[in-house]
Amino acid sequence: MLKNRQITLASHAHGVPQVDNFSMIETPVPTPGAGQFLIRNLYFSLEPAIRGWLEGKANYFEPIPLGGVVRGPSVGRVIESNNPDYAVGDIVFALNQWEDYSICNADTILLEKLQPQDDTPLSWYVGPLGGSGTTAYVGLHEIGHIKAGQTVVVSAAAGATGSMVGQIAKQRGCRVIGIVGSDAKAQMLVDDFGFDGAINYNTCTDITAAVMAQAPDGVDIYFDNVGGPILNAMLLTMKVQGRIVCCGMISDYNRTENPNPITNLWEVVARQLTMQGFLLFTYHDQVPAAQAQLAEWITSGKIKVLEHITKGIANTPAAFCELMSGKTTGKALVQLDLPEEQ
Amino acid sequence: MLKNRQITLASHAHGVPQVDNFSMIETPVPTPGAGQFLIRNLYFSLEPAIRGWLEGKANYFEPIPLGGVVRGPSVGRVIESNNPDYAVGDIVFALNQWEDYSICNADTILLEKLQPQDDTPLSWYVGPLGGSGTTAYVGLHEIGHIKAGQTVVVSAAAGATGSMVGQIAKQRGCRVIGIVGSDAKAQMLVDDFGFDGAINYNTCTDITAAVMAQAPDGVDIYFDNVGGPILNAMLLTMKVQGRIVCCGMISDYNRTENPNPITNLWEVVARQLTMQGFLLFTYHDQVPAAQAQLAEWITSGKIKVLEHITKGIANTPAAFCELMSGKTTGKALVQLDLPEEQ
């Protein structure tokens, strides 16, 4: 009988999550009820947002209970269906759980039936064509109101979302500066991803001055993935009526009890800034158009894909902890092993 | 020969400004050049924003130099003119200086020719029909996107702008809660100004809980005049996609070297909030419509005017220091003495 391997929350995370915050259990493969369908998960999308659900406190989703299966986005194949809209063989993206098999229905959050092209790796649908890419696209357009000729700065710029933000902004005719945590990442952004400049925050003593040196007229759009001291420094670089796209604040995710203080908010008034937070699911109806544009750019080679793939469901906790320690570049994902097909 | 009494900056302010930060000098009344006109100032509008110009550091305006005349909005009468658009006898509002006589031209910041009704006190044009009222109106509509049925919270709610914010929001069919610094102010807001509730932050140990007790479903619009700990607490009360109108951060004006830290900015992402700063001059073209609506509400008794009038130019520094110590309610202004007419 097939088993469903599931990664559960063994203990609440404090600080950088550790592999012993997680356990793996085996349960029977569930049977879909009326209107439901069963998917075989193929890829997990590892995302910093998941960190926010591991402490037992509600944020925009309920926390994951101790012993509960960890929630996370996945791409999978429908293998059994009681829903006429989802046939066996369909490929779907959804907010599922870290497990081999998930039950979905029409109301599953972020559910989307994918139309993968033959030559498009499925993994791209959790990264550049999935939440990371579409978050970057929607954030720049809907929240950032991006226009050609603007100066765009993005933090966590070598990450899944940040690397897409910078490349999309370049396609829109902007000047792009990335903020990253190592010289190697900075070099990669400029050499391989077409960024106009990059700053290593770990060796830079004055982020504000470093940005202003590369953008003397100031910054139109700051796409913020990190919050904390970098956001604080960026507030001093913004042009009048500039926009800060608040996508994430990863610098605080490992220290939610003691978040980094922000002291430069007066600039929001003095420079007439707009700081706006957003979550992708609010803009779900714009995802297909974003995906179509991203697919065109990627297949034509204008935007490069950067992935960090870990294989095997059992390695999911270690891969997630690696992501949250800032060591990865590009989209972190897990490619599931499929013992039933071997 | 007529003299021009001028209030100058004698020393930079640190903390709450003191009267000895200012001096009064006498200079000759200036003569208007080509295109210029001379006004006799009648009222000074005392505004917290002026505090930001007293430390020798640029914010959205240049700082006032030591020995320079203090910049501030006024209402005055044209008494000599080389500009065909401004006739002797016209009443004008503009960003002038703390002095008996000011030179203006068509480019003077905030310059506006007033059309005072016979029964409208001129002082109202520096308060409810001037910058305070129009700031409240523009902030609620352009930045707050106010709609009937919403819950609106305003800080410094007994002040010139705050008392107008609450009353305008009531006219728009909203539920309104004011945050103030004394029980007497709180009582006044509810009893005299129609607020639905008020909170004294000096005796309240948990602003978040106090607001949530009065608005269990959360807050749609927070009109922020204070920044600091109250803004930090309000971030935890906002509804999803709520809007924070960043009008001022007076809690930091007396401590610009050591601003209050904000630690709850994660809520901007999690609740998908918009925090937007604005300065009235950016929305100058909307001021006439705002004034017309405010005048209708005020003359019909739907909105009450609350003024704190100090008489005599020599008392301007003391009146400003009183404002910045949080002791006044309503619009703080100086009614100039006019020795030349006595």
Side-chain angles (χ1 to χ4, degrees), chain B residues 158-220:
Chain B
T161 301
S163 62
M164 294 298 291
V165 167
Q167 294 186 91
I168 295 168
K170 287 306 297 178
Q171 291 302 313
R172 289 300 185 212
C174 294
R175 177 172 170 74
V176 177
I177 300 164
I179 301 176
V180 291
S182 76
D183 288 343
K185 289 178 178 177
Q187 190 89 39
M188 179 188 76
L189 291 184
V190 174
D191 291 352
D192 301 336
F193 288 82
F195 282 51
D196 298 287
I199 294 164
N200 175 0
Y201 69 82
N202 276 318
T203 57
C204 175
T205 54
D206 186 340
I207 302 279
T208 302
V211 170
M212 293 306 292
Q214 295 192 30
D217 295 332
V219 174
D220 296 283

Side-chain angles (χ1 to χ4, degrees), chain B residues 79-93:
Chain B
I79 60 170
E80 193 178 343
S81 178
N82 296 323
N83 186 314
D85 295 330
Y86 294 86
V88 171
D90 281 352
I91 302 293
V92 297
F93 177 89

